[in-house]
C-alpha cells in the first residue's frame, strides 16, 4: 500500500491571514528570527494499489478539482517514501513518533 | 534564507472527520482505490538566518507548544531543500508552478 501526500498552499500572491497571525504571535511569545509563515493543508492518501503513473495522474485530478481551489491555491503531489515515513533522514527531525 | 516545513497531523488513533469526509466523497465522485485519507496542516516558516541545529531546536519548541496540540497531534520538522522548492525530483509531481 502506497502513501501519496498532497500539499495545498495558498498561492504566494494571496494573503494568508492564518500564517500572518502565527508570524505576529511568535515575537510576543519570545521567538525571533522568523521572517514569514504560511499555513496550508496536507493530505495523506493511502492507496489500495501501487503509486504508479496512472494512480498519480488520478490523484492530481482529485487534488486539482476537490482538495485545492486552484484559483487561489497551488498543490504538490508526491509519493512518500517508506524510508521517509519510517525514519528521519539527515534533514528531517521527528517531533514525535508517528 | 532557509525554509523549514512543519507538518502537523492528527495522531493515528485520533478520529479525523475531515479526512473521512474526503475519503467518503471520492467514490461518489468517481475515484476508487483510495483506502484512507488523513488531513492535517502544513506550516512553511522562512527563517532570517540559516537552518542550523539551534534554529531547528527553536522551531521544534514552537511547533510543540503553538503549532501542534501534542495531546492529539504529531508534528515533523524538516528543512526544505532548495532543490525541492525549485524543481520536482523523481517522486514529486508539481501540480502548479509555485
Amino acid at each position: 500500500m502506497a502513501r501519496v501526500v498532497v500539499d495545498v498552499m495558498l498561492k504566494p500572491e494571496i494573503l494568508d491571514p492564518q500564517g500572518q497571525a502565527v508570524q505576529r504571535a511568535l515575537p510576543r511569545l519570545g521567538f525571533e528570527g522568523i521572517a514569514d509563515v504560511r499555513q496550508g493543508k496536507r493530505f495523506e492518501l493511502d492507496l489500495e494499489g501501487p503509486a504508479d503513473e496512472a494512480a498519480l495522474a488520478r490523484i492530481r485530478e482529485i487534488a486539482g478539482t476537490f482538495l485545492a481551489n486552484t484559483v487561489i491555491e497551488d498543490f504538490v503531489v508526491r509519493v512518500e517514501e517508506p524510508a521517509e515515513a519510517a525514519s528521519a533522514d539527515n534533514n528531517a527531525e521527528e517531533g514525535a513518533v508517528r
Side-chain angles (χ1 to χ4, degrees), chain A:
Chain A
M1 199 160 76
R3 168 165 292 182
V4 177
V5 173
V6 180
D7 290 322
V8 178
M9 300 298 291
L10 284 168
K11 289 178 192 277
E13 65 271 26
I14 304 288
L15 193 69
D16 176 3
Q18 287 183 302
Q20 283 191 346
V22 173
Q23 187 196 346
R24 286 179 192 159
L26 291 177
R28 287 204 307 271
L29 298 165
F31 296 101
E32 305 283 348
I34 311 283
D36 193 21
V37 178
R38 307 279 293 176
Q39 180 173 347
K41 286 175 283 189
R42 173 188 165 97
F43 295 90
E44 293 180 352
L45 285 72
D46 288 335
L47 306 189
E48 286 167 5
D52 52 17
E53 201 37 60
L56 289 178
R58 222 175 38 189
I59 287 173
R60 277 196 291 274
E61 195 185 336
I62 293 172
T65 41
F66 307 119
L67 301 183
N69 174 354
T70 54
V71 176
I72 58 168
E73 291 170 328
D74 291 333
F75 65 89
V76 178
V77 175
R78 60 195 164 79
V79 179
E80 191 169 83
E81 299 295 309
E84 184 185 340
S87 70
D89 69 14
N90 287 339
N91 291 310
E93 300 288 336
E94 296 280 330
V97 176
R98 302 183 68 177

